[in-house]
């Protein structure tokens, strides 16, 4: 009973994390109606930094105390926050939140390419090459070049792709320079967002200032984007990594575009073309291949079926003897 409760708690946290991060593209789109891209990015990092600092005080932890800790956090802030979050906010001024969320899902492909090209990791095998080809074929299908790129959509695509590329540099850099530090993930993230806040504050005088109040929808979006997306979501992610491991926690990548697509289509009324979900499926399949998840899933099923106590799933019951379906 206790084990089932723990599993259920993990599943709830996992779904909540995917929903929070997947809804970020909706909130960016709403804030874009009121603020310039730099203001959206600054509000997000400043509020997120405040939440994490409060969390640090509650946990009685400290920020890094050495110079190199702050330097590495500052570099991570450029690659993880200041630049990509500004690019996403700018990109969504020219393209839909659906497309922005799907571009964000290409991050694992960029991480692999950057790790191979810039950080000298081992050469990819045939499986990873196949995954990369499959993933970028999905990107091409997702973009739908046969429809053209009118109305500034190409600018939005380039900005969103640039944000994903930044993440491609950020993850290997963080793994190399920050993952082995003694501070907790909360402390390092708080330091990172504080650095990003200071960086973006330097550009605020040159950005287009708001011309009026952002209204209830803008305030709610800012609160959700900063406090939830950059603060609470990180605490949930940290809990998942501790309880289930980094590999299991990273699979949230596969659910984020599902939430961003559903919210963009239902809440914002954005047009969903057939090639976008089809390209997303092909993209996520390519990511799964590069991470050997397809092979791991197949091996797990074979191992499970080889156990002496394995019982195959029962055959479907006839409709006359099946239990009545629950009302929705």
């Amino acid at each position: 009973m206790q084990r089932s409760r723990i599993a259920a708690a993990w599943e709830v946290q996992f779904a909540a994390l995917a929903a929070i991060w997947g809804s970020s593209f909706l909130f960016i789109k709403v804030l874009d109606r009121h603020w310039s891209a730099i203001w959206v990015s600054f509000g997000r990092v400043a509020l997120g930094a405040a939440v994490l600092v409060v969390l640090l005080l509650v946990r009685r932890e400290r920020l890094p105390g050495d110079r190199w800790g702050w330097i590495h956090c500052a570099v991570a802030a450029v690659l993880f926050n200041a630049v990509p979050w500004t690019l996403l906010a700018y990109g969504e001024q020219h393209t839909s939140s659906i497309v922005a969320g799907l571009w964000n899902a290409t991050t694992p492909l960029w991480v692999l390419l950057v790790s191979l090209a810039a950080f000298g990791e081992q050469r990819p095998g045939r499986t990873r090459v196949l995954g990369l080809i499959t993933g970028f074929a999905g990107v091409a299908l997702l973009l739908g070049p046969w429809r053209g790129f009118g109305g500034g959509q190409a600018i939005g695509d380039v900005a969103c792709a640039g944000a994903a590329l930044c993440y491609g540099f950020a993850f290997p850099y963080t793994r190399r320079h920050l993952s082995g530090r003694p501070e907790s993930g909360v402390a390092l993230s708080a330091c990172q967002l504080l650095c990003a806040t200071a960086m973006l504050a330097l550009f605020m005088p040159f950005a287009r200032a708001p011309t009026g109040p952002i209204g209830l929808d803008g305030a709610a979006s800012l609160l959700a984007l900063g406090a939830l997306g950059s603060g609470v979501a990180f605490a949930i992610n940290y809990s998942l990594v501790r309880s289930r491991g980094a590999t299991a926690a990273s699979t949230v990548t596969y659910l984020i575009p599902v939430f961003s697509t559903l919210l963009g289509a239902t809440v914002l009324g954005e047009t969903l073309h057939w090639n976008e979900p089809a390209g997303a499926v092909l993209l996520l399949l390519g990511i799964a291949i590069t991470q050997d998840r397809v092979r791991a899933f197949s091996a797990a099923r074979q191992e499970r079926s080889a156990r002496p106590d394995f019982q195959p799933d029962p055959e479907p019951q006839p409709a006359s003897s099946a239990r009545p379906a629950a009302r929705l």
Side-chain angles (χ1 to χ4, degrees):
M1 179 67 69
Q2 185 177 2
R3 180 177 297 180
S4 63
R5 289 179 179 176
I6 293 175
W10 175 79
E11 291 171 355
V12 170
Q13 288 181 324
F14 187 85
L17 185 62
I20 291 173
W21 279 344
S23 63
S24 296
F25 304 95
L26 163 67
F27 300 132
I28 291 172
K29 195 71 171 180
V30 173
L31 277 173
D32 273 346
R33 301 170 181 170
H34 306 281
W35 285 354
S36 63
I38 293 228
W39 273 80
V40 172
S41 184
F42 176 79
R44 181 179 184 180
V45 297
L47 194 52
V51 170
L52 289 177
V53 168
V54 170
L55 187 59
L56 270 185
L57 295 175
V58 172
R59 295 163 59 98
R60 296 184 178 180
E61 296 181 8
R62 294 183 178 180
L63 294 167
D66 62 299
R67 180 183 62 179
W68 280 108
W70 282 88
I71 290 176
H72 289 313
C73 282
V75 175
V78 172
L79 297 174
F80 259 129
N81 310 115
V83 174
W85 288 0
T86 303
L87 286 174
L88 280 174
Y90 179 76
E92 286 200 43
Q93 294 176 356
H94 301 277
T95 191
S96 68
S97 66
I98 294 176
V99 172
L102 295 175
W103 267 115
N104 187 77
T106 66
T107 295
L109 297 181
W110 297 113
V111 170
L112 178 58
L113 283 177
V114 171
S115 297
L116 295 171
F119 290 89
E121 295 191 1
Q122 61 182 359
R123 297 181 62 182
R126 293 180 179 178
T127 301
R128 285 191 167 183
V129 172
L130 174 62
L132 286 172
I133 294 174
T134 304
F136 282 109
V139 173
L141 179 59
L142 184 157
L143 290 175
W146 57 86
R147 295 200 313 269
F149 296 97
Q153 182 181 344
I155 298 176
D157 286 327
V158 170
C160 293
L165 179 59
C166 285
Y167 294 146
F169 282 95
F171 279 103
Y173 183 89
T174 301
R175 184 169 60 244
R176 174 168 292 196
H177 297 288
L178 289 174
S179 62
R181 291 191 58 87
E183 296 89 0
S184 71
V186 175
L188 292 174
S189 289
C191 178
Q192 181 178 313
L193 287 185
L194 286 171
C195 291
T197 302
M199 293 172 187
L200 289 172
L202 297 176
F203 293 90
M204 295 294 287
F206 307 100
R208 176 173 55 85
T211 56
I214 61 176
L216 183 61
D217 61 335
S221 296
L222 177 61
L223 185 64
L225 192 60
L228 287 180
S230 304
V232 175
F234 180 80
I236 296 175
N237 184 60
Y238 183 68
S239 174
L240 286 174
V241 171
R242 285 194 306 173
S243 63
R244 306 294 294 188
T247 301
S250 67
T251 56
V252 72
T253 305
Y254 299 94
L255 283 182
I256 291 175
V258 175
F259 280 95
S260 63
T261 299
L262 288 175
L263 290 172
T266 59
V267 178
L268 297 175
E270 295 176 339
T271 302
L272 180 63
H273 301 283
W274 69 268
N275 59 291
E276 291 170 352
V281 170
L282 195 59
L283 164 64
L284 295 178
L285 175 61
I287 293 172
I289 294 173
T290 62
Q291 297 176 347
D292 280 337
R293 295 193 187 276
V294 175
R295 183 184 301 176
F297 177 75
S298 177
R301 291 199 61 177
Q302 292 177 2
E303 180 181 356
R304 177 171 172 262
S305 62
R307 294 202 310 261
D309 60 343
F310 170 73
Q311 296 292 334
D313 295 333
E315 293 293 329
Q317 295 178 330
S320 59
S321 61
R323 295 178 58 187
R327 294 185 180 180
L328 300 179

